[in-house]
Amino acid sequence: MDALKERVEKALEKIRPYLVADGGDIEIVDITEDMVLRVEMKGACNGCPFRMQTLKAGVEMAVKNEVPEIKKVVDIHMR
């Protein structure tokens, strides 16, 4: 699972500069057995009204492109 997490982190590094530029960031919480990536949106991203769009159209697309085993990405703070 460590190799998988490293690949996910590498994918996040490609989009992290865009999040940081807007005052936010993202952190891996865990990867479930059914290949759901759980993340925590931080800083400005954590209250942003566009975070769902950022999560799905930005983060999830980037991660799934690099790590196709990941089925979806969810923010631990969103219900």
Side-chain angles (χ1 to χ4, degrees), residues 24-73:
D25 203 354
I26 190 167
E27 182 178 299
I28 297 172
V29 175
D30 68 358
I31 301 170
T32 66
E33 287 183 18
D34 56 346
M35 293 298 159
V36 174
L37 172 62
R38 296 177 66 235
V39 298
E40 181 177 9
M41 302 291 279
K42 298 185 161 261
C45 291
N46 188 23
C48 177
F50 300 108
R51 76 178 166 169
M52 181 57 105
Q53 183 177 354
T54 299
L55 188 68
K56 293 298 175 183
V59 175
E60 188 171 84
M61 282 182 55
V63 169
K64 288 169 92 176
N65 189 45
E66 296 286 324
V67 190
E69 300 94 325
I70 297 295
K71 303 287 186 241
K72 68 179 179 177
V73 179

